């Protein structure tokens, strides 16, 4: 079984959990609020990092909720989130044991990094465009190291982008920092003919016309 945490207007519950069978997410939108969103911390994560990780998760979720509320013109936000911690963690205060929630059915997972994404947040997607993803993956290092996390932008904004992939089957329309195959920027100029140093540096995005707008903080 697992454990659970509590905090401000986005209610977060900290619970103990045990491993369980794979199943579908129970997160649902009720009267504009997402309820029963589950975050689970892997047994591979060191409990010594637990307090920092939990604090970062709560801060991240609250920020994402504010951004979602504003982006949807008050149509959606995170109302309740359960944070599950391993039963093996014995020095972390919780409000009880998870009932049917477990790591395998969680929406957001905190687990060790893999060789492909390293510490970059990502959403596991096995379906096509418009099909919900399986789960969002965050690493302990991403949640602990603020300077490293800043490389991908504000955590709340990053979580909201991944949530769009998880719930609505959205795919990336931008590149990744340091990725040679999918860079953040590219050089384009129809008249340079590949001349080194020529062309215009443009951000990677999916559109057939220049993207214009204003920066939102």
């Amino acid at each position: 079984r697992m454990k659970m945490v509590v905090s401000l207007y986005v209610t977060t519950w900290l619970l103990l959990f045990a491993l369980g069978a794979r199943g579908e997410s129970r997160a649902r939108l009720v009267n504009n609020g997402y309820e029963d969103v589950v975050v689970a911390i892997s047994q591979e994560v060191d409990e010594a990092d637990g307090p920092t990780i939990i604090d970062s998760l709560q801060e991240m979720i609250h920020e994402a909720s504010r951004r979602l509320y504003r982006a949807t013109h008050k149509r959606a936000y995170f109302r309740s989130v359960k944070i599950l911690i391993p039963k093996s963690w014995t020095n972390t205060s919780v409000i009880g044991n998870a009932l049917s929630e477990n790591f395998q059915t969680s929406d957001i997972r905190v687990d060790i990094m893999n060789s492909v994404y390293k510490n970059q947040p990502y959403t596991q997607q096995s379906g096509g465009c418009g099909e919900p993803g399986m789960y969002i993956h965050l690493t302990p290092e991403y949640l602990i190291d603020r300077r490293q996390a800043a490389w991908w932008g504000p955590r709340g904004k990053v979580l909201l982008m991944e949530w769009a992939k998880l719930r609505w089957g959205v795919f990336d329309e931008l590149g990744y920092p340091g990725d040679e195959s999918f860079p953040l920027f590219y050089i384009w100029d129809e008249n340079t003919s590949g001349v080194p140093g020529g062309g215009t540096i443009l951000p990677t995005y999916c559109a057939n016309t220049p993207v214009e707008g204003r920066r939102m903080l």
Side-chain angles (χ1 to χ4, degrees):
R1 291 185 176 277
M2 289 190 94
K3 308 177 185 177
M4 177 168 145
V5 183
V6 185
S7 62
L8 10 151
Y9 48 88
V10 179
T11 302
T12 57
W13 313 82
L14 187 53
L15 302 169
L16 282 173
F17 82 98
L19 294 177
R22 178 180 294 278
E24 295 184 356
S25 167
R26 297 186 180 184
R28 63 193 190 282
L29 187 64
V30 180
N31 296 326
N32 295 7
Y34 277 106
E35 298 181 349
D36 295 330
V37 177
V38 176
V39 180
I41 301 175
S42 169
Q43 296 185 99
E44 300 297 323
V45 177
D46 191 340
E47 184 177 5
D49 296 322
T52 301
I53 290 174
I54 292 169
D55 287 346
S56 294
L57 283 170
Q58 290 182 318
E59 180 182 333
M60 185 181 193
I61 292 166
H62 294 158
E63 181 188 348
S65 183
R66 290 192 294 268
R67 288 178 178 274
L68 179 60
Y69 189 68
R70 183 171 60 181
T72 59
H73 302 288
K74 304 181 180 181
R75 293 188 180 91
Y77 65 98
F78 293 113
R79 179 179 293 131
S80 66
V81 177
K82 297 177 181 179
I83 300 177
L84 312 183
I85 67 173
K87 190 176 182 180
S88 58
W89 286 17
T90 58
N91 297 314
T92 304
S93 298
V94 297
I95 64 171
N97 291 323
L99 299 177
S100 57
E101 304 89 351
N102 59 62
F103 188 84
Q104 284 71 21
T105 60
S106 59
D107 303 291
I108 304 170
R109 302 179 185 180
V110 179
D111 204 352
I112 57 176
M113 69 177 184
N114 63 44
S115 59
V116 176
Y117 289 95
K118 305 296 183 183
N119 289 316
Q120 175 181 314
Y122 70 90
T123 299
Q124 184 66 37
Q125 295 174 275
S126 58
C129 184
E131 296 181 30
M134 298 172 66
Y135 60 85
I136 295 170
H137 183 280
L138 306 173
T139 68
E141 291 80 6
Y142 174 78
L143 294 167
I144 293 170
D145 190 340
R146 286 184 177 275
R147 293 184 63 182
Q148 182 177 164
W151 182 252
W152 292 283
R155 285 184 180 136
K157 183 176 181 180
V158 170
L159 179 58
L160 189 54
M161 291 172 65
E162 297 304 323
W163 185 257
K165 301 175 189 177
L166 181 70
R167 297 297 294 184
W168 306 307
V170 174
F171 280 81
D172 281 326
E173 295 183 350
L174 59 147
Y176 299 106
D179 192 316
E180 295 182 358
S181 299
F182 303 99
L184 283 172
F185 299 91
Y186 68 97
I187 297 177
W188 179 85
D189 191 325
E190 59 183 358
N191 298 315
T192 58
S193 300
V195 177
T200 302
I201 297 177
L202 297 173
T204 300
Y205 56 79
C206 183
N208 58 3
T209 59
V211 174
E212 300 179 355
R214 61 187 180 85
R215 179 184 179 188
M216 295 187 66
L217 301 176

